């Protein structure tokens, strides 16, 4: 693998290092095998899911299970499972690709698929003993059995480690007895295998267990929940009353459940971002087809500037989300390969590989889940009154999108995690934030250069702008850490501001690097819409970062420091040549309208 020769950026290092466009992976880099995989998944969705959306909306849980079985027969549930346990053992990028394209038609199936292949199967492949893996994983990989994950309780949501469910070991040490209650359990209606988290005695952390439904006397289920969206996804409460679980079904180690939960969620987060991508493509495609057909004032509404603006922004968000998701996915895949080359076994390599990029996983989860909400909202608007009707696919897309900002850790938790993890990495010396932050404060004291820069190279000014935005983050985060030290975690609103800056930088940089890489290899003329999307998104990022930074700075700086930081903010967010936003949107929209599709 070519990446093993050069130094691979560590998680979070993007904020202090420059990345060359040649060093990132983009969707245009998919191998022939990956493209075939993508096409067969699309074919499966267009045959088995898209024509039957109505059945999911009518809460036909049996149908969800039936389609899951078909996915299992085609091997689509086994992509991430090692070959030794009946899986395809594909690389991380391919597992994301399948998750992306299988999730676009309905949130109901997307949730069932994600809960089963991710948090239902992964904890066993990553933490199971050899016996546990041989016993359970092949059946989960084939779809003979389905998996579910029981973490959340009525009193333990975001504070996952505070669960009250108890596990007591019998006197002979042969079995545990589990008592407690879990809620919001996806796939509960048809799952055979449950990963259940419970506390043994007064342990500091919870412990994970593998519970088989058929052998678990005393395990009962609530009615199906009535939900805003994902209607065809089975969601129930699960009750445990003296449920006996063999001691050998303890997963990982005692007290290790919280770690298992968190690592499963890291993978879940980047996969959830991927699961929102094809939804955006499909919403955009449906919206542009409608806009080209719908005539008002003797003109297809697609020709109106107000509609062009919407289509351009929808396509741009999808392009940016793809760029960032696959960039991080390939980083994870390369990190796994490096660790395996260093002698780690697959389990350890995958765990550490994903953990390394936990910051990026949180960033993506937040950004892409918010983009699909905006995209489906604009989809309704383009359809007008028809968008509000259950007869068009828009209102279901909008309802399904809403859960993405809540599960796998709420977006608020993930925002705070992203910054919190970065600060921790800096304190451990894994990412040097202090050096660059000090350099920025020295730069603020110096006299700015008034030379006219040379921006003759493609995207030169935009790339310089990314560098300046990184300085904004270092200025805000550095100032905040200097003032509050370890207590920074108490200042949630400030962390949210810092997180918004971090998120916008990662997403904008990813889109710019993708557009630059592709312009270099396919020619600038063939990428003019992609270049326009990268520029349009960067402009929005600058605006959002300006607002977030201002709010943050005012909250902790005063007097001369406040003045100096505000001047710095102005300097670091100033374009030399402002992009013509309306012209950029027109360029993007015209491509979408003429192709009558999401064409990128």
């Amino acid at each position: 693998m070519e990446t093993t020769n050069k130094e691979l950026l560590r998680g979070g290092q993007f904020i202090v290092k420059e990345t060359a466009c040649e060093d990132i992976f983009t969707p245009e880099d998919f191998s022939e095998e990956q493209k075939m995989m993508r096409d067969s998944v699309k074919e499966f969705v267009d045959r088995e899911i898209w024509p039957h959306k109505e059945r999911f909306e009518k809460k036909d849980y049996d149908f969800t299970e039936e389609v899951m079985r078909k996915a299992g027969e085609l091997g689509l549930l086994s992509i991430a499972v090692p070959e030794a346990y009946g899986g395809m053992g594909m690389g991380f990028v391919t597992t994301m690709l399948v998750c992306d394209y299988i999730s676009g038609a309905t949130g109901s199936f997307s949730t069932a698929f994600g809960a089963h292949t991710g948090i239902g199967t992964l904890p066993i492949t990553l933490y199971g003993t050899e016996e546990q893996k041989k016993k359970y994983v092949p059946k989960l990989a084939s779809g003979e059995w389905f998996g579910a994950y029981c973490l959340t309780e009525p009193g333990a949501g975001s504070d996952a480690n505070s669960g009250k469910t108890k596990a007591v070991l019998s006197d002979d040490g042969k079995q545990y007895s589990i008592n407690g209650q879990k809620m919001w359990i996806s796939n509960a209606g048809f799952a055979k295998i449950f990963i259940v988290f419970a506390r043994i005695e007064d342990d500091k952390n919870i412990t994970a267990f593998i519970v088989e439904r058929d052998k678990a006397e005393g395990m009962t289920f609530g009615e199906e929940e009535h939900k805003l969206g994902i209607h065809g996804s089975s969601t129930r409460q699960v009750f445990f009353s003296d449920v006996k679980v063999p001691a050998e079904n303890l997963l990982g180690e005692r007290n290790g459940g919280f770690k298992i939960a968190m690592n499963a969620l890291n993978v879940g987060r980047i996969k959830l971002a991927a699961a929102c991508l094809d939804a955006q493509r499909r919403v955009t495609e449906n919206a542009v087809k409608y806009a080209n057909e719908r005539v008002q004032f003797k003109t297809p509404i697609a020709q109106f500037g107000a509609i062009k603006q919407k289509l351009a922004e929808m396509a741009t968000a999808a392009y940016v989300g793809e760029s960032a998701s696959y960039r991080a996915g390939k980083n994870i895949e390369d990190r796994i390969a490096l660790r395996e080359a260093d002698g780690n076994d697959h389990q350890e390599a995958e765990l550490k590989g994903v953990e390394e990029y936990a910051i990026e996983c949180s960033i993506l989860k937040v950004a892409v889940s918010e983009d699909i909400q905006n995209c489906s909202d604009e989809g309704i608007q383009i359809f007008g009154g028809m968008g509000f009707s259950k007869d068009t696919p828009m209102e279901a897309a909008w309802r399904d999108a809403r859960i993405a900002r809540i599960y796998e850790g709420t977006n608020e938790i993930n925002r705070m995690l992203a910054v919190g993890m970065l600060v921790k990495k800096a304190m451990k010396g894994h990412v040097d934030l202090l050096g660059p932050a000090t350099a920025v404060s020295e730069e603020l004291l110096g006299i700015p250069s008034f030379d006219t820069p040379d921006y003759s190279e493609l995207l030169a000014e935009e790339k310089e702008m990314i560098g300046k935005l990184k300085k904004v983050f270092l200025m805000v985060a550095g100032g905040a850490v200097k003032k509050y030290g370890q207590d920074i975690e108490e200042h949630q609103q400030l962390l949210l501001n810092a997180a918004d800056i971090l998120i916008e930088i990662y997403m904008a940089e990813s889109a710019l690097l993708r557009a630059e890489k592709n312009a270099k290899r396919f020619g600038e003329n063939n990428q003019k819409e992609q270049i326009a999307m990268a520029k349009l998104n960067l402009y929005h990022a600058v605006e959002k970062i300006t607002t977030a930074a201002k709010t943050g700075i005012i909250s902790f700086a005063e007097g001369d420091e406040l003045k100096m930081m505000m001047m710095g903010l102005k300097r670091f967010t100033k374009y030399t040549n402002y992009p013509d936003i309306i012209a950029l949107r027109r360029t993007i929209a015209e491509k979408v309208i003429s192709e009558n599709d999401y064409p990128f």
Side-chain angles (χ1 to χ4, degrees):
M1 243 183 209
E2 76 285 2
T3 337
T4 44
N5 302 330
K6 61 175 189 287
E7 192 201 341
L8 187 60
L9 274 194
R10 297 197 66 154
Q13 273 188 334
F14 72 88
I15 198 69
V16 288
K17 297 217 169 171
E18 201 176 325
T19 303
C21 70
E22 294 77 15
D23 292 346
I24 69 150
F25 180 88
T26 78
E28 292 73 21
D29 292 313
F30 290 144
S31 66
E32 284 313 308
E33 186 189 30
Q34 285 169 328
K35 286 177 191 161
M36 280 164 63
M37 199 77 195
R38 176 190 65 194
D39 295 343
S40 67
V41 173
K42 279 165 81 169
E43 194 187 312
F44 173 77
V45 171
D46 288 332
R47 185 181 69 242
E48 302 290 349
I49 301 178
W50 189 260
H52 307 294
K53 281 170 74 75
E54 192 55 28
R55 293 184 70 175
F56 291 104
E57 288 314 303
K58 289 191 167 148
K59 306 184 181 180
D60 188 341
Y61 307 112
D62 291 341
F63 182 64
T64 303
E65 185 181 354
E66 186 188 315
V67 181
M68 281 287 285
R69 291 217 185 280
K70 286 181 180 168
E73 282 156 22
L74 287 176
L76 297 176
L77 304 178
S78 73
I79 308 295
V81 171
E83 289 177 40
Y85 310 106
M88 290 195 189
M90 300 262 181
F92 197 83
V93 172
T94 307
T95 69
M96 275 182 64
L97 184 66
V98 170
C99 186
D100 171 350
Y101 281 91
I102 210 163
S103 301
T106 161
S108 296
F109 185 81
S110 171
T111 301
F113 177 86
H116 170 75
T117 56
I119 50 184
T121 305
L122 253 182
I124 306 179
T125 41
L126 293 182
Y127 289 95
T129 61
E130 197 51 40
E131 290 71 29
Q132 287 170 342
K133 287 188 288 192
K134 281 188 176 141
K135 183 174 179 185
Y136 297 113
V137 176
K139 287 186 164 69
L140 291 165
S142 67
E144 184 186 333
W145 288 356
F146 294 119
Y149 177 88
C150 300
L151 178 63
T152 304
E153 298 183 11
S158 295
D159 182 6
N161 204 25
S162 68
K164 301 272 188 287
T165 299
K166 284 281 189 196
V168 179
L169 186 59
S170 60
D171 294 340
D172 60 8
K174 285 189 176 163
Q175 58 184 17
Y176 285 91
S177 184
I178 296 183
N179 282 285
Q181 160 185 15
K182 299 288 180 179
M183 69 191 302
W184 308 127
I185 307 307
S186 298
N187 295 353
F190 54 79
K192 278 272 192 285
I193 299 297
F194 292 78
I195 309 289
V196 179
F197 294 87
R199 194 178 311 277
I200 301 171
E201 292 171 10
D202 294 324
D203 285 359
K204 178 174 180 245
N205 295 314
I206 48 183
T207 297
F209 296 87
I210 303 169
V211 178
E212 292 181 49
R213 185 189 204 122
D214 294 347
K215 295 180 182 169
E217 233 176 280
M219 187 174 175
T220 54
F221 297 84
E223 292 295 307
E224 289 286 353
E225 299 288 350
H226 302 294
K227 308 183 295 286
L228 171 71
I230 56 170
H231 282 174
S233 155
S234 169
T235 315
R236 295 180 168 194
Q237 291 198 47
V238 184
F239 302 94
F240 300 88
S241 174
D242 282 331
V243 173
K244 303 289 183 276
V245 180
E248 61 269 22
N249 278 29
L250 190 147
L251 180 62
E253 52 195 38
R254 177 172 173 172
N255 238 330
F258 187 59
K259 196 168 138 194
I260 294 178
M262 292 306 104
N263 281 327
L265 290 175
N266 283 335
V267 183
R269 282 165 187 156
I270 189 168
K271 295 276 177 76
L272 180 61
C276 294
L277 294 174
D278 197 50
Q280 289 184 73
R281 295 185 203 105
R282 283 178 185 263
V283 168
T284 306
E285 180 191 330
N286 275 274
V288 69
K289 283 181 166 52
Y290 184 81
N292 274 325
E293 286 165 14
R294 172 77 170 160
V295 174
Q296 291 290 280
F297 310 104
K298 296 182 181 160
T299 310
I301 63 169
Q303 295 309 316
F304 295 125
I307 301 294
K308 284 183 179 177
Q309 173 170 331
K310 292 184 189 308
L311 291 170
E313 296 290 357
M314 289 157 79
T316 297
Y319 179 81
V320 173
E322 289 172 348
S323 310
S325 299
Y326 285 104
R327 170 192 184 182
K330 183 69 163 87
N331 283 155
I332 290 173
E333 184 171 295
D334 289 344
R335 176 65 66 181
I336 292 170
L338 278 178
R339 284 195 160 267
E340 285 182 326
D342 288 344
N344 281 119
D345 65 18
H346 177 76
Q347 272 173 298
E348 185 67 11
E350 183 152 339
L351 268 175
K352 293 288 183 220
V354 175
E355 206 176 334
E356 178 64 57
Y357 295 97
I359 293 168
E360 287 79 355
C361 293
S362 280
I363 286 173
L364 288 164
K365 191 272 179 184
V366 171
V368 189
S369 66
E370 291 178 1
D371 286 340
I372 178 56
Q373 189 80 62
N374 295 335
C375 179
S376 55
D377 197 69
E378 290 290 39
I380 289 180
Q381 201 66 13
I382 289 171
F383 271 70
M386 283 309 293
F388 205 68
S389 160
K390 283 194 187 296
D391 295 337
T392 62
M394 287 300 161
E395 63 89 38
W398 183 84
R399 285 186 292 99
D400 284 355
R402 188 60 187 83
I403 188 61
R405 284 154 54 199
I406 296 169
Y407 58 21
E408 308 287 352
T410 66
N411 284 11
E412 291 69 28
I413 290 277
N414 273 292
R415 277 185 161 89
M416 290 184 286
L417 268 178
V419 180
M421 288 188 287
L422 187 59
V423 170
K424 281 198 180 86
K425 275 197 158 193
M427 287 175 174
K428 281 184 185 165
H430 292 178
V431 177
D432 176 19
L433 281 186
L434 194 64
T438 311
V440 172
S441 24
E442 282 164 10
E443 188 180 334
L444 291 177
L445 296 167
I447 295 163
S449 155
F450 292 108
D451 300 345
T452 310
D454 171 20
Y455 290 138
S456 51
E457 253 187 62
L458 173 69
L459 297 174
E461 178 167 7
E462 286 73 18
K463 281 160 71 185
E464 185 185 277
M465 182 62 91
I466 290 283
K468 292 195 295 190
L469 295 176
K470 290 179 182 182
K471 289 176 180 175
V472 174
F473 178 80
L474 291 165
M475 178 174 77
V476 175
V481 171
K482 204 165 98 185
K483 169 137 191 192
Y484 298 119
Q486 295 278 20
D487 294 339
I488 185 117
E489 289 189 357
E490 305 300 310
H491 299 269
Q492 288 195 349
Q493 292 190 51
L494 178 54
L495 284 178
L496 294 176
N497 289 136
D500 282 339
I501 302 171
L502 192 67
I503 291 165
E504 291 300 330
I505 290 169
Y506 188 72
M507 304 305 286
E509 181 180 64
S510 301
L512 275 169
L513 292 173
R514 177 183 180 186
E516 183 190 10
K517 183 177 186 178
N518 291 334
K520 282 184 177 176
R521 57 181 167 179
F522 306 131
E524 212 173 306
N525 274 346
N526 293 321
Q527 295 289 309
K528 65 175 195 294
E529 293 85 10
Q530 287 88 331
I531 291 165
M533 289 190 285
K535 288 181 172 181
L536 172 62
N537 178 67
L538 176 64
Y539 177 79
H540 291 321
V542 172
E543 294 296 299
K544 289 175 192 164
I545 286 171
T546 304
T547 306
K550 208 179 272 184
T551 309
I553 291 166
I554 293 166
S555 79
F556 69 80
E558 48 194 16
D560 288 346
E561 186 189 19
L562 175 63
K563 260 190 213 146
M564 189 173 71
M565 282 188 160
M566 284 304 204
M567 276 166 62
L569 179 60
K570 207 168 181 180
R571 190 196 307 178
F572 296 145
T573 52
K574 186 174 183 293
Y575 278 94
T576 304
N577 308 290
Y578 277 92
D580 179 345
I581 293 306
I582 290 175
L584 290 176
R585 284 190 189 128
R586 196 177 302 124
T587 300
I588 301 158
E590 277 161 10
K591 172 81 169 169
V592 174
I593 291 161
S594 68
E595 302 260 344
N596 203 27
D597 198 357
Y598 171 79
F600 304 110

